[in-house]
Amino acid sequence: MSRFFKGVIAGNHFITENLLTGLTRNEDVDPQDFCVADKTQEVCNEWARKFHVRTTTNPIDFVSSTAFLILAFHHDDLDRVMKKIAPKVKRETLVLSAMHRTKIEDIEKYLPEHQIIRLFLSPSVVSGAGVGAYAANKNATVDAKSAAQIIIKNLGSMVEVGSEEELEKMREFILANTFLSYLTVKAMFDAGRKIGLPGKDAGFIAEKILNGAVTTLVNDRQRGIAMLKEAFRKEIFNESIELIKEYGIYDSIGKLLEEPVEPEPKKIDLRYKWLNR
């Protein structure tokens, strides 16, 4: 086995698929350094074909040989899986969890002496341009965190936070913005299709418009928000606010979008002359 051998215990197929897409993306990564366990042989066969990783239907086959163990199954299966594998996991194995509802303390009940890092990954990790965050337990060393960053670098930009409470706040913030971006692009794509543009062209234009709006938002917050508001058809904007409220994350992002945008003072800079006339 490679000293960098990585084992993935699957179960949540959506998360596992996203992880494998990102983790095996670059040519400098050897897919054979990964072994993925899932109880369904058909799923194992599909991942072996698609990602060229090794697979097994029994995680006991590899957990004692892993340098890195990635957990990607459902929280409801935690007790069953951990009781099976915990006695076999070496103390020096770094444990990465991409499980939605499972906290670090839940895993520590079975692996109290291990270094554990919990990840939150946005859906856009599939594109390689994702963003996410991670938190580590008190056992995790600086070297462990650095090793984790090397593994997950192909998933996108990852931000370290100091606690799981901060990780949850980051999760809400990222999901709110991911959702809003989706609604924005969908609205622009639909508008392009209605005026007769082919789907490919409508998608291309929508992406470029959104990228331009985001760049403006970063460089000039007030004007960027004003542009986004103006770009929305009113019903789409209102729909996005209502759905964000339903998600329970209105306070983190929704109010920002409803804030009145004060006009900026006129700037002498000639680049703004056409905006202030």
Side-chain angles (χ1 to χ4, degrees):
M1 292 286 186
S2 164
R3 65 190 181 94
F4 296 115
F5 180 66
K6 310 166 189 73
V8 181
I9 301 180
N12 186 323
H13 295 164
F14 176 75
I15 290 179
T16 305
E17 184 94 4
N18 286 356
L19 280 172
L20 292 176
T21 300
L23 292 172
T24 62
R25 176 178 287 110
N26 286 354
E27 292 182 359
D28 59 347
V29 174
D30 184 357
Q32 289 292 294
D33 277 348
F34 290 89
C35 188
V36 185
D38 190 88
K39 61 184 180 182
T40 306
Q41 185 63 56
E42 289 77 12
V43 173
C44 288
N45 294 342
E46 175 64 15
W47 285 336
R49 181 194 65 78
K50 188 173 182 179
F51 301 108
H52 308 291
V53 295
R54 288 181 279 182
T55 62
T56 178
T57 55
N58 187 358
I60 296 299
D61 290 346
F62 65 71
V63 289
S64 61
S65 304
T66 55
F68 306 97
L69 181 61
I70 303 172
L71 308 180
F73 50 91
H74 292 285
H75 178 79
D76 292 343
D77 294 329
L78 181 68
D79 189 62
R80 177 183 62 81
V81 174
M82 295 306 294
K83 281 181 176 178
K84 185 176 182 180
I85 69 168
K88 303 286 186 179
V89 181
K90 295 182 299 184
R91 184 174 177 179
E92 59 267 30
T93 297
L94 176 58
V95 179
L96 305 177
S97 172
M99 299 166 66
H100 282 323
R101 293 160 44 208
T102 305
K103 295 183 178 180
I104 290 175
E105 63 182 25
D106 296 330
I107 301 171
E108 286 179 324
K109 293 176 183 177
Y110 305 91
L111 301 171
E113 299 180 346
H114 285 72
Q115 301 180 91
I116 301 170
I117 293 177
R118 182 185 175 194
L119 310 173
F120 165 68
L121 306 171
S122 68
S124 51
V125 296
V126 174
S127 69
V131 64
Y134 66 92
N137 72 344
K138 61 181 183 299
N139 296 336
T141 64
V142 172
D143 288 343
K145 295 176 185 178
S146 298
Q149 289 172 348
I150 292 171
I151 296 172
I152 61 182
K153 66 180 180 180
N154 292 328
L155 300 175
S157 301
M158 301 295 291
V159 178
E160 181 183 359
V161 297
S163 68
E164 287 192 283
E165 288 75 18
E166 293 178 37
L167 188 66
E168 186 61 27
K169 291 178 182 178
M170 182 70 79
R171 172 183 173 276
E172 292 179 353
F173 177 74
I174 291 172
L175 285 179
N177 283 278
T178 300
F179 179 72
L180 188 60
S181 298
Y182 166 77
L183 284 177
T184 306
V185 173
K186 184 178 184 302
M188 291 189 290
F189 177 84
D190 290 346
R193 294 290 287 148
K194 284 183 178 179
I195 65 171
L197 289 175
K200 184 177 179 181
D201 291 343
F204 174 79
I205 293 172
E207 179 187 2
K208 294 301 180 184
I209 292 172
L210 181 62
N211 287 342
V214 170
T215 300
T216 303
L217 184 62
V218 171
N219 295 331
D220 189 336
R221 177 178 174 275
Q222 287 188 326
R223 183 165 286 115
I225 293 174
M227 286 176 60
L228 286 174
K229 284 184 174 181
E230 187 174 349
F232 269 115
R233 298 201 307 268
K234 185 176 180 181
E235 64 272 19
I236 294 295
F237 181 77
N238 289 340
E239 179 186 354
S240 69
I241 293 295
E242 289 306 313
L243 288 170
I244 287 172
K245 287 178 179 177
E246 288 181 19
Y247 274 175
I249 49 181
Y250 174 70
D251 288 342
S252 63
I253 192 68
K255 285 184 178 178
L256 172 69
L257 295 168
E258 288 191 342
E259 288 177 359
V261 179
E262 298 295 331
E264 293 186 340
K266 291 187 177 182
K267 296 183 170 106
I268 298 175
D269 193 324
L270 292 177
R271 290 175 299 174
Y272 292 88
K273 184 176 180 181
W274 69 274
L275 289 170
N276 296 316
R277 60 173 181 245

